[in-house]
Amino acid sequence: MSRIQKRDQGNQAEALALSWLEHHGFELIESNYNRRIGEIDLIVKQPDNDTIVFVEVRYRSGQQQGSALESVDRRKQRKLVRTANAWLQQRADSLTPARIDVIALSPASPQTPADRLWHSHELVWVISAIED
């Protein structure tokens, strides 16, 4: 798969994740926040309070390279924490509640549970997936 195809696939996964979050009342603050230390795919505000949610979106078309959730290794977790902290230092005060979630997407199968089905994909949302 070319770099362009991979980027397009990533953009589609992020759009799917964002549509799911918006369907559940989340409001987009920023997408693809990029710093030298790392990138955050989606930054959203939780609907029932002022919690800032940093969302890492992962897509896997198959299990050959492991699951999408497994791809968020220790190194990636450290980058996410540092990047989220950089965003918070620039844009929020020290009392702003925040967390890092992971949304993993893969093509749906006939066995995909209905509560994980979103636009022909299986979506797994892990709340507070990464602890600081």
Side-chain angles (χ1 to χ4, degrees), residues 11-26 28 42 44 57 103 105 118-119 121 123:
N11 290 340
Q12 290 173 350
E14 288 172 19
L16 273 171
L18 179 58
S19 72
W20 189 89
L21 288 164
E22 289 175 336
H23 178 77
H24 287 84
F26 287 77
L28 179 66
L42 301 170
V44 296
V57 179
I103 292 181
L105 290 156
W118 187 251
H119 297 283
H121 288 80
L123 185 145

Side-chain angles (χ1 to χ4, degrees), residues 96-123:
T96 302
R99 68 173 195 254
I100 301 173
D101 294 359
V102 174
I103 292 181
L105 290 156
S106 59
S109 72
Q111 292 78 33
T112 299
D115 63 334
R116 290 185 172 188
L117 190 61
W118 187 251
H119 297 283
S120 302
H121 288 80
E122 181 172 348
L123 185 145

Side-chain angles (χ1 to χ4, degrees), residues 29-98:
I29 296 171
E30 189 169 344
S31 62
N32 299 310
Y33 174 75
N34 204 329
R35 289 292 170 264
R36 188 172 36 90
I37 54 177
E39 180 191 15
I40 304 275
D41 295 323
L42 301 170
I43 303 170
V44 296
K45 185 175 162 192
Q46 189 165 315
D48 56 350
N49 59 36
D50 288 331
T51 298
I52 302 299
V53 182
F54 300 96
V55 183
E56 174 65 11
V57 179
R58 291 297 187 149
Y59 179 83
R60 287 288 188 267
S61 58
Q63 296 291 320
Q64 310 88 291
Q65 297 175 329
S67 76
L69 287 176
E70 291 170 341
S71 72
V72 184
D73 60 14
R74 280 268 190 239
R75 183 172 168 264
K76 181 63 177 176
Q77 290 177 27
R78 284 192 303 271
K79 282 182 162 190
L80 288 167
V81 168
R82 285 196 304 262
T83 308
N85 284 333
W87 189 93
L88 288 166
Q89 287 174 357
Q90 289 179 336
R91 312 246 173 100
D93 63 48
S94 60
L95 300 176
T96 302

